[in-house]
Amino acid sequence: MTPTAEKWMEWANSTMKNGHCEGLAALSLLMYEGKIRPQDFGAERAADLNLEGNTKLQREIAYWYATGLVDRTPRSKLPLMMF
C-alpha cells in the first residue's frame, strides 16, 4: 500500500469511531436485493449473523462504510448510496 493510501485508510478507520451506520445500511440493502449472501458471512439469514468474532462481516461493513467517503467516478457501475 502506498503511503498516501495508508494515510487515507487510517483516516477512514478513525471516522468509524462514530459508528458504522452507512456500512450496515448499504450491506443490508445488498443482502435484501440478493447481491450479497448472508451465508458468505456464516448464517442462512442476515438476522442470524453474529458481528462479534466475525472478522469477515466486520470488514465488509467497514468496506461499505468507506465507499461513502469517496467521490463517485464518472464510470462507476455501483449505485450511489445516499442515506
Side-chain angles (χ1 to χ4, degrees):
M1 183 178 299
T2 67
T4 302
E6 190 166 342
K7 187 174 181 177
W8 184 89
M9 183 183 72
E10 289 171 4
W11 169 78
N13 285 335
S14 74
T15 67
M16 286 186 228
K17 68 182 174 196
N18 297 321
H20 297 77
C21 297
E22 288 189 39
L24 286 166
L27 184 56
S28 295
L29 177 62
L30 291 165
M31 285 186 182
Y32 177 78
E33 292 178 339
K35 295 177 180 176
I36 293 180
R37 300 169 355 114
Q39 295 89 344
D40 294 337
F41 302 96
E44 286 299 311
R45 301 177 320 134
D48 296 328
L49 288 169
N50 187 4
L51 186 59
E52 188 174 335
N54 192 336
T55 304
K56 187 174 181 182
L57 180 59
Q58 292 170 6
R59 288 177 187 241
E60 191 74 12
I61 292 168
Y63 170 82
W64 288 106
Y65 172 85
T67 63
L69 300 175
V70 295
D71 292 332
R72 189 171 179 208
T73 64
R75 292 188 192 191
S76 178
K77 294 185 180 180
L78 291 175
L80 181 61
M81 300 185 126
M82 299 295 289
F83 300 100

